[in-house]
Amino acid sequence: MLDPEIPIVSIVDLGIVRDVSADRVLLTPTYTGCPATLVIETMVRAALDEAGFGDVAIETTLSPPWTTDWITESGKAKLKAYGIAPPTPAGTHAVECPQCGSTATEEISRFGSTPCKAQWRCRDCLEPFDLFKCH
Amino acid sequence: MASLPPIDVPTGATGKGAFDSSAEEARSVLFETLLRLGDDSLILGQRLGEWCGHAPSVEVDLSLANMGLDLIGQATHFLNAAGAAEGRGRDGDALAFHRDVLDFRNCWLVEQPNGDFAQTMARQLLFSTWQQLLFERLTASTDETIAAVAAKAVKEVTYHAELASEWVIRLGDGTEESRRRMQDGLDWMWRFVPELFEMDAVATEAAARGIGADVVAFRADYDARIAAVLAEATLAAPKDQRPILGGRRGHHGEHLGHLLAVMQFLPRTYPDATW
Ligand SMILES: [Zn+2]
């Protein structure tokens, strides 16, 4: 199932699904106030019903808190292909422009179109892009 | 024959005619603590939402809306937990939309009007720096919900504090006008800081039980952080004025009533409205 706000990565790729067992699915929100949380729960419920698992419970946990470290490698590759720079742990390496690969990039705004993204700009190809914030 | 309303059985009732008041006390301290945390986040989140569509630039608009969203997310968790602790069937929405001004437990700082952008950033710096230090400690709370929300939210609040610091520095060390406005904003908000560090009976009891934190313990750290930002912003720390206290006991300024009128109008007028 795809994320409602970044419809290119699955909620498993994003690390939102923490555990799946025979009787429950455990979810965690990315951000405390992420408005997609309820939508995701509704989508999971619909998918479970459709697959004939009407009795499976959906639980939400805050602990341990979600981190971008949980985004899978395939999830990061998909984000990049979609034009969103995947998160890079602070201080490790520079943010790479998802369009041209240049690391001559700068932050425009700490917050972007959703709580999990920041707005950046590439100084080489001059394109603005979203950066999935390290969190 | 009309039946009498059901009698509330107090939490401490043993069922053998005895009453253990300690359970009731524990519940009330937890309820009050969660209300304070939730109301701070709720009211500031609502204030930031007032900027939506009015900020100086689209990037700033997004920043303010996203911070507001983080805060309202915190408030939802804290107030739902407060409703559960209270045990009278109220959830976070009931507490947010169906309480009157005297029942709110937020500090005075968060209810202060937005003013101009500089005044909003002054409020954000003073509050988010405090909330960050508080949440760092609350991650060790013996209450599972408080610990989990604090651990989750501290990362977001760290971002808020950084963003506010950057703006305070940029405006303070900016043009003559931006500097004047930044200083004015700071002067407005300054007198509401001492309330953040008040340890009244509830806060003291909450800290003793391990659910709350001793805010006085990080006062020096807070002062040092604020002083560092103001120094870089080339701003003067305002003179200490007579502090205004009482928000935690339901004493609020006239501004809060107006905020609540806007926030509560719809759910009170149309109680069954859904999206
Ligand atoms: Zn580029």
Side-chain angles (χ1 to χ4, degrees):
Chain A
M1 190 188 323
L2 299 176
D3 181 84
E5 286 182 343
I6 312 168
I8 191 72
V9 282
S10 76
I11 55 174
V12 173
D13 274 336
L14 283 177
I16 291 171
V17 178
R18 299 313 304 151
D19 189 40
V20 177
S21 63
D23 53 4
R24 69 147 197 193
V25 175
L26 188 63
L27 304 175
T28 193
T30 52
Y31 278 70
T32 319
C34 182
T37 308
L38 273 180
V39 180
I40 290 170
E41 212 179 298
T42 313
M43 288 166 67
V44 171
R45 173 56 68 210
L48 285 170
D49 282 348
E50 199 165 312
F53 296 108
D55 287 342
V56 176
I58 300 172
E59 284 172 27
T60 303
T61 179
L62 288 180
S63 181
W66 179 83
T67 154
T68 39
D69 295 345
W70 293 347
I71 301 179
T72 61
E73 287 309 313
S74 98
K76 285 178 188 165
K78 286 177 201 164
L79 284 172
K80 195 172 172 184
Y82 190 60
I84 300 173
T88 48
T92 48
H93 36 93
V95 172
E96 212 175 273
C97 167
Q99 317 292 342
C100 73
S102 165
T103 50
T105 53
E106 62 187 355
E107 183 184 89
I108 304 173
S109 169
R110 296 217 139 196
F111 292 91
S113 52
T114 62
C116 54
K117 286 176 274 169
Q119 286 185 318
W120 279 61
R121 169 166 54 203
C122 174
R123 285 202 297 262
D124 279 331
C125 74
L126 306 178
E127 286 291 326
F129 62 90
D130 272 340
L131 166 71
F132 209 105
K133 290 188 292 205
C134 184
H135 190 73
Chain B
M1 195 178 88
S3 59
L4 291 167
I7 297 168
D8 250 358
V9 181
T11 318
T14 60
K16 292 174 186 158
F19 183 74
D20 172 14
S21 66
S22 67
E24 192 63 38
E25 272 166 35
R27 190 172 73 159
S28 133
V29 171
L30 180 60
F31 175 64
E32 280 290 325
T33 303
L34 286 162
L35 274 190
R36 291 173 179 199
L37 291 167
D39 286 349
D40 279 352
S41 301
L42 176 69
I43 300 303
L44 188 54
Q46 175 71 14
R47 273 283 181 243
L48 290 173
E50 290 171 7
W51 271 107
C52 204
H54 300 276
S57 74
V58 70
E59 290 81 10
V60 173
D61 212 279
L62 285 169
S63 302
L64 297 172
N66 273 305
M67 289 197 290
L69 202 57
D70 288 341
L71 288 160
I72 287 170
Q74 296 167 15
T76 307
H77 290 295
F78 286 135
L79 294 180
N80 277 332
E86 185 193 36
R88 290 190 188 154
R90 293 201 283 183
D91 63 1
D93 279 353
L95 288 168
F97 298 126
H98 297 279
R99 268 182 304 155
D100 289 329
V101 64
L102 294 176
D103 294 326
F104 275 79
R105 294 290 179 261
N106 57 279
C107 60
W108 278 71
L109 179 61
V110 295
E111 70 190 55
Q112 293 311 304
N114 287 337
D116 60 12
F117 180 64
Q119 183 169 316
T120 293
M121 283 300 110
R123 185 184 61 204
Q124 203 65 45
L125 173 72
L126 297 174
F127 182 76
S128 296
T129 304
W130 176 79
Q131 202 187 29
Q132 185 192 351
L133 290 164
L134 175 67
F135 281 7
E136 280 169 5
R137 280 153 185 83
L138 290 181
T139 56
S141 170
T142 52
D143 180 79
E144 261 178 45
T145 305
I146 294 178
V149 178
K152 177 94 197 138
V154 73
K155 299 200 272 187
E156 297 157 16
V157 173
T158 303
Y159 228 66
H160 303 174
E162 280 173 22
L163 181 120
S165 307
E166 284 169 14
W167 274 110
V168 169
I169 291 164
R170 194 159 151 191
L171 296 173
D173 192 16
T175 66
E176 205 174 299
E177 184 180 2
S178 75
R179 176 188 178 74
R180 175 181 57 75
R181 286 176 179 240
M182 198 59 245
Q183 189 69 57
D184 286 351
L186 207 57
D187 288 348
W188 179 296
M189 299 297 169
W190 199 252
R191 74 177 71 176
F192 305 108
V193 172
E195 185 186 25
L196 302 175
F197 294 97
E198 200 191 8
M199 287 296 284
D200 64 359
V202 171
T204 305
E205 188 58 34
R209 288 171 186 265
I211 58 174
D214 176 8
V215 288
V216 177
F218 59 82
R219 176 80 210 236
D221 198 358
Y222 176 88
D223 288 345
R225 288 188 192 203
I226 299 296
V229 173
L230 297 190
E232 204 176 335
T234 69
L235 291 165
K239 279 204 178 65
D240 286 331
Q241 299 146 315
R242 204 158 73 93
I244 297 185
L245 308 169
R248 306 301 188 197
R249 293 182 297 283
H251 302 298
H252 297 285
E254 60 182 307
H255 298 297
L256 185 60
H258 292 279
L259 179 149
L260 294 182
V262 173
M263 187 179 85
Q264 297 182 332
F265 155 76
L266 199 129
R268 286 199 180 208
T269 313
Y270 306 99
D272 301 321
T274 52
W275 285 109

